[in-house]
Amino acid sequence: MRIGFIGTGIMGRPMAGRLQDAGHRLFIVKHRSAPPQDLLDAGAVLAESAKALAEASDVVFTMVPDTAAVENALFRDRGVAAGLTPGKVVIDMSSISPSATEVFAKRIRELGCEYLDAPVSGGDLGARDGTLSIMVGGAREPFERVKPLFDVMGQTVTLVGGSGSGQACKVANQMIVGINIAAVSEALVLSSKAGLDPVRVREALLGGFASSRILDVHGQRMIDRAFEPGGRIELHQKDLGLALAEAGRLGVATPMTSVCRDLMDACAAQGGAGWDHSALVRAYEQLADHKLSTN
Amino acid sequence: MRIGFIGTGIMGRPMAGRLQDAGHRLFIVKHRSAPPQDLLDAGAVLAESAKALAEASDVVFTMVPDTAAVENALFRDRGVAAGLTPGKVVIDMSSISPSATEVFAKRIRELGCEYLDAPVSGGDLGARDGTLSIMVGGAREPFERVKPLFDVMGQTVTLVGGSGSGQACKVANQMIVGINIAAVSEALVLSSKAGLDPVRVREALLGGFASSRILDVHGQRMIDRAFEPGGRIELHQKDLGLALAEAGRLGVATPMTSVCRDLMDACAAQGGAGWDHSALVRAYEQLADHKLSTN
């Protein structure tokens, strides 16, 4: 297939690379920054604009930082929408607003095209290894059509529901991940200040109902003080902002998410916007005047 | 060994039964309620008092509901302490206050005996199958001496630290479990009210960083409305009360635990004290005026 890929950053670059390696013809677009040389070396074609990229492609992917960036890529002058012809598929893999996604999908479908929202979980490591979890919203027919492309990038690919459902599912994912990080932080700081060794507490707890990916991976990061990202605090702040906006719109009380966002804000205020989100433990350490100590 | 076991309820009865099946001589004590007939049939001896039970035993276990019940069993007139002679071991497997535990341990050691706190995670199923996670506080020598008894009851047996450490670790466990239940509730209710199917959301999320035992087991309970206990809301309320008391004593901010306890209180106020703790989702459903619906 001819594939256009907009957004070749930390996540998008390895994802586009995997599609290219699988034998697809790749089109990328000019940025302010130089385009990734490895993609060009492997034969990627540099389009003059998002419009030109869309004209050349069967399927157009976007993988950009936020809702405004997706809207801009799709609907600005000489954007993707201007280059679409009926039958093409637009797939947004960014993590953005579920309700804005419903609007974008409607506008794309009015052009006779298909739209899928397909945000991912698994980080840059998952992007490189093709082990992402991909949560998809949209119709079944285009989903089945592009499923082989998803399979090149992800290990768990789930059609969750209609347009916006992928983004809503990602929001739910980020709520649970963020709250779990706070839970592990809170439990480790309390037990450490009580004199326990966090290494043994983590081990004992992994054997029971408190077990989770976050206790395993991020609990270890907290103990090792391994706070280089990974998943940045500032991106998780954005995701929890989306969660709270959806919750407000729908009338759902989300007290744990609210508290978790406050703690992320505190962590960012302490200079941690660019730290890995496991560094949320530092906000707790500040409040307790106690740093996790291993015996 | 000659083993005294005080507290043969939902948890204690199968635990004592496993020790008996492993070939140990079992002593139990008279209750207001009739003693378990299966234990008597298998040869358990009924002692007249906790004092008499302690006189007859090498090791005395307690498995009772709360801190006051442990204190009562150990230190009342004709309690365990009155029957101890030097060299015996007292093991409290209840979930009680870490700081009260330090006091109990000191008083028992002053009698020339050993004291271990060894609360468990894994529920009545784990007690029957001998797959409990056992978190132990105390000295290494008596721990090694009674380790074969723990191995009859548990799969993961961890010496966490000195006296009170087992209880402090259990408190950390219950904090993470409770907060995770709230996180899963919050995410499922929000995504369900947004129109998503909780069955697909749970599946998609189990593939990524949001994965946890609670999302797996209790998420399924929420979907199936399987709210018979299991672990009761009122016991989890008690455990979070212990966490907040320890946090207050030590000067550790635990905002997620505070909110979680509020939600458990709300659930109990709605008649849910005896429900499984996964029924915390009902407090969220009440607030959102939306019940989880599967498509």
Side-chain angles (χ1 to χ4, degrees), chain A residues 95 117 135 144 152 215 227 290 293:
Chain A
S95 291
D117 49 299
M135 298 155 262
E144 297 292 356
V152 167
L215 176 61
F227 296 139
H290 172 83
S293 51

Side-chain angles (χ1 to χ4, degrees), chain A residues 194-266:
Chain A
L196 276 65
D197 184 340
V199 172
R200 294 204 217 167
V201 172
R202 175 181 162 280
E203 276 171 20
L205 267 45
L206 279 174
F209 265 110
S211 178
S212 69
R213 282 284 294 279
I214 294 299
L215 176 61
D216 186 6
V217 177
H218 289 60
Q220 191 62 50
R221 270 176 173 271
M222 292 175 198
I223 290 167
D224 296 340
R225 320 303 288 176
F227 296 139
E228 68 289 356
R232 292 200 301 283
I233 290 277
E234 62 193 352
L235 288 177
H236 215 137
Q237 276 180 295
K238 176 203 73 171
D239 292 338
L240 296 184
L242 292 173
L244 295 173
E246 287 299 294
R249 189 176 69 86
L250 292 166
V252 176
T254 53
M256 309 295 276
T257 304
S258 297
V259 173
C260 187
R261 222 273 287 261
D262 288 342
L263 291 161
M264 295 264 179
D265 289 349

Side-chain angles (χ1 to χ4, degrees), chain A:
Chain A
M1 284 203 217
R2 292 170 306 163
I3 291 176
F5 207 107
I6 295 175
T8 47
I10 294 181
M11 293 294 293
R13 182 179 179 163
M15 290 162 71
R18 291 189 64 89
L19 290 167
Q20 196 171 29
D21 291 346
H24 299 287
R25 183 86 194 272
L26 186 67
F27 296 84
I28 58 180
V29 76
K30 275 189 177 170
H31 264 278
R32 281 172 212 160
S33 55
Q37 195 56 49
D38 57 336
L39 298 180
L40 294 176
D41 288 347
V45 176
L46 198 60
E48 277 301 311
S49 67
K51 176 172 182 278
L53 174 142
E55 286 168 346
S57 305
D58 305 308
V59 178
V60 177
F61 287 92
T62 49
M63 187 59 174
V64 294
D66 54 29
T67 306
V70 174
E71 182 164 27
N72 187 50
L74 297 182
F75 301 114
R76 71 163 184 268
D77 257 7
R78 303 183 57 75
V80 169
L84 290 176
T85 46
K88 298 193 175 187
V89 184
V90 174
I91 304 176
D92 176 36
M93 302 193 79
S94 325
S95 291
I96 69 162
S97 160
S99 44
T101 291
E102 292 181 44
V103 177
F104 298 165
K106 189 161 175 292
R107 291 179 67 181
I108 295 295
R109 278 199 301 266
E110 283 168 0
L111 301 172
C113 297
E114 300 286 353
Y115 185 98
L116 299 171
D117 49 299
V120 305
S121 175
D124 55 332
L125 214 79
R128 271 200 299 278
D129 301 343
T131 58
L132 294 169
S133 169
I134 307 179
M135 298 155 262
V136 188
R140 181 162 292 279
E141 186 282 319
F143 171 75
E144 297 292 356
R145 185 144 41 105
V146 301
K147 178 79 164 35
L149 302 179
F150 287 140
D151 289 336
V152 167
M153 296 180 280
Q155 197 162 43
T156 312
V157 182
T158 312
L159 181 63
V160 182
S163 275
S165 297
Q167 297 296 353
C169 194
K170 175 71 191 281
V171 163
N173 185 79
Q174 294 302 85
M175 291 166 72
I176 294 179
V177 169
I179 296 168
N180 274 3
I181 291 174
V184 170
S185 301
E186 207 160 298
L188 289 186
V189 171
L190 178 58
S191 53
S192 173
K193 199 168 181 184
L196 276 65
D197 184 340
V199 172
R200 294 204 217 167
V201 172
R202 175 181 162 280
E203 276 171 20
L205 267 45
L206 279 174
F209 265 110
S211 178
S212 69
R213 282 284 294 279
I214 294 299
L215 176 61
D216 186 6
V217 177
H218 289 60
Q220 191 62 50
R221 270 176 173 271
M222 292 175 198
I223 290 167
D224 296 340
R225 320 303 288 176
F227 296 139
E228 68 289 356
R232 292 200 301 283
I233 290 277
E234 62 193 352
L235 288 177
H236 215 137
Q237 276 180 295
K238 176 203 73 171
D239 292 338
L240 296 184
L242 292 173
L244 295 173
E246 287 299 294
R249 189 176 69 86
L250 292 166
V252 176
T254 53
M256 309 295 276
T257 304
S258 297
V259 173
C260 187
R261 222 273 287 261
D262 288 342
L263 291 161
M264 295 264 179
D265 289 349
C267 198
Q270 292 164 26
W275 298 339
D276 185 74
H277 52 177
S278 58
L280 190 71
V281 72
R282 282 185 166 164
Y284 278 98
E285 292 176 335
Q286 196 88 359
L287 286 165
D289 191 27
H290 172 83
K291 198 179 151 188
L292 285 192
S293 51
T294 54
N295 299 338

Side-chain angles (χ1 to χ4, degrees), chain B residues 49-62:
Chain B
S49 66
K51 176 173 181 277
L53 175 142
E55 285 168 346
S57 306
D58 305 309
V59 178
V60 177
F61 288 93
T62 48

